[in-house]
Amino acid sequence: MKTTNILSTATFLPTLPIGATLTFELRYADQIKAFAGATRLIGYRDKKYILLETPCDPELTQLLAEPAGMQVVVRGLTSSRYGEIFALKSHILSVLHRPEKMIAIALPPSVSIHRMREYPRFNVSRIIHLDIDERNTLAKLINFSLGGCAIRLSNNQFIDVGETVRFTINGLFNTPVEFEGDVKSAVINGDGLQLGIKFREGVSELAYETLAKLILTSELTEASSAQTSPTVQ
C-alpha cells in the first residue's frame, strides 16, 4: 500500500530527526536542475525555516552566491514507523558561513508525504527459529508489524526474493507461535543478510496478539520506544 498525503509543517517536523541525511536539489526558475547532492539537517524553527548543512561543492558555492529566484527541493525519509518519504519545496532565505556553512530554507505551509507501508513497524530484538526449505537456523527478528517483519541472519545463507519462509517465536506465549510469509527483499547488511517478509493472509489476529505481547513484555528496542511516531509491511 502506497499513499500520498499533504501534511502541515507543524505535524511533519517532529518526524524529522536532527542529523538526518537528506537530498538537496537546486533548480532554476524554469525547473532545470542546477545542483543535486546530500546534506544533513542541523535544526529548524517551526513556521520559519530549516537549517541544512551546505554540501561541499565548488559549483554549488557559485550558485549560492546569487540564489534569488531558485527553487529548493529537499527530500528524505521521516522517522515515522510507516516509512514515509517526503518532498519539501521552497526557497533559500539565507546562506550562512558561521559557526559553520549552513543554508536556511523557508518552511512552506505543507509538505508532501508518500507513505510506503500500510502498517506501522516497530523495532524488535528477539532470537527466532527460521525454517527455509526444511532448513532450520537461528535468526534475529529486528522489526515487526501487523503485515510483516524484518529478519537478520548470517549472510552465508542463500535466500532469494519470492521464497516462502516460516519462523517460530518461543517463550512469548505458553506455546510457540509460528508465522509464514514471502520474502519481498533480501539485502546484505553489514555481516548479515536482512530479509523483508510479508505475512500470508489470515495471520492478522496472531500478528496483533504477538505485537501486543512484545509491547507488554518490553521486547521493543529503545530506538523504537523513544519515538512517538517511529522492513516489508
Side-chain angles (χ1 to χ4, degrees):
M1 178 182 180
K2 298 181 181 180
T3 58
T4 300
N5 297 311
I6 303 297
L7 298 181
S8 68
T9 50
T11 301
F12 158 74
L13 284 173
T15 69
L16 191 58
I18 302 300
T21 299
L22 309 171
T23 59
F24 173 82
E25 187 176 303
L26 200 58
R27 297 177 179 177
Y28 294 111
D30 58 5
Q31 297 300 300
I32 293 177
K33 186 185 299 184
F35 174 84
T39 184
R40 184 174 58 88
L41 179 66
I42 294 176
Y44 59 81
R45 185 169 183 182
D46 191 18
K47 299 180 181 179
K48 295 200 175 211
Y49 56 80
I50 62 171
L51 287 174
L52 302 180
E53 186 179 74
T54 304
C56 294
D57 187 279
E59 183 180 351
L60 177 62
T61 300
Q62 294 182 1
L63 292 169
L64 293 178
E66 293 291 340
M70 285 190 160
Q71 183 188 60
V72 172
V73 180
V74 179
R75 295 186 179 89
L77 184 67
T78 73
S79 60
S80 165
R81 292 189 176 104
Y82 286 97
E84 294 169 337
I85 299 171
F86 75 89
L88 182 154
K89 298 180 181 180
S90 188
H91 61 276
I92 294 175
L93 286 177
S94 62
V95 179
L96 311 173
H97 300 279
R98 295 179 181 177
E100 61 179 296
K101 293 184 178 181
M102 298 179 286
I103 307 171
I105 310 295
L107 275 175
S110 61
V111 178
S112 175
I113 299 291
H114 190 61
R115 179 174 289 184
M116 303 297 291
R117 303 172 189 145
E118 182 177 0
Y119 304 106
R121 184 169 303 161
F122 296 83
N123 292 331
V124 180
S125 180
R126 190 177 184 92
I127 300 301
I128 60 173
H129 291 269
L130 184 66
D131 182 19
I132 306 173
D133 293 333
E134 299 183 353
R135 292 175 289 131
N136 191 277
T137 184
L138 289 178
K140 187 175 183 179
L141 185 67
I142 61 172
N143 67 47
F144 193 91
S145 79
L146 298 183
C149 65
I151 295 171
R152 185 171 295 161
L153 65 160
S154 172
N155 62 9
N156 61 7
Q157 301 283 339
F158 180 77
I159 302 169
D160 203 359
V161 172
E163 288 192 55
T164 298
V165 299
R166 296 177 181 85
F167 66 90
T168 303
I169 304 177
N170 294 310
L172 195 59
F173 298 94
N174 292 331
T175 58
V177 290
E178 183 177 287
F179 288 89
E180 182 175 330
D182 300 317
V183 177
K184 294 298 182 180
S185 64
V187 180
I188 298 295
N189 190 332
D191 59 352
L193 177 66
Q194 184 166 315
L195 305 178
I197 309 296
K198 183 176 182 180
F199 295 148
R200 291 286 180 87
E201 297 292 334
V203 301
S204 57
E205 183 175 348
L206 179 60
Y208 181 86
E209 292 175 352
T210 300
L211 181 57
K213 189 68 171 180
L214 289 170
I215 294 173
L216 289 173
T217 56
S218 300
E219 293 283 352
L220 302 184
T221 64
E222 291 183 4
S224 174
S225 302
Q227 296 172 358
T228 57
S229 54
T231 193
V232 174
Q233 66 185 17

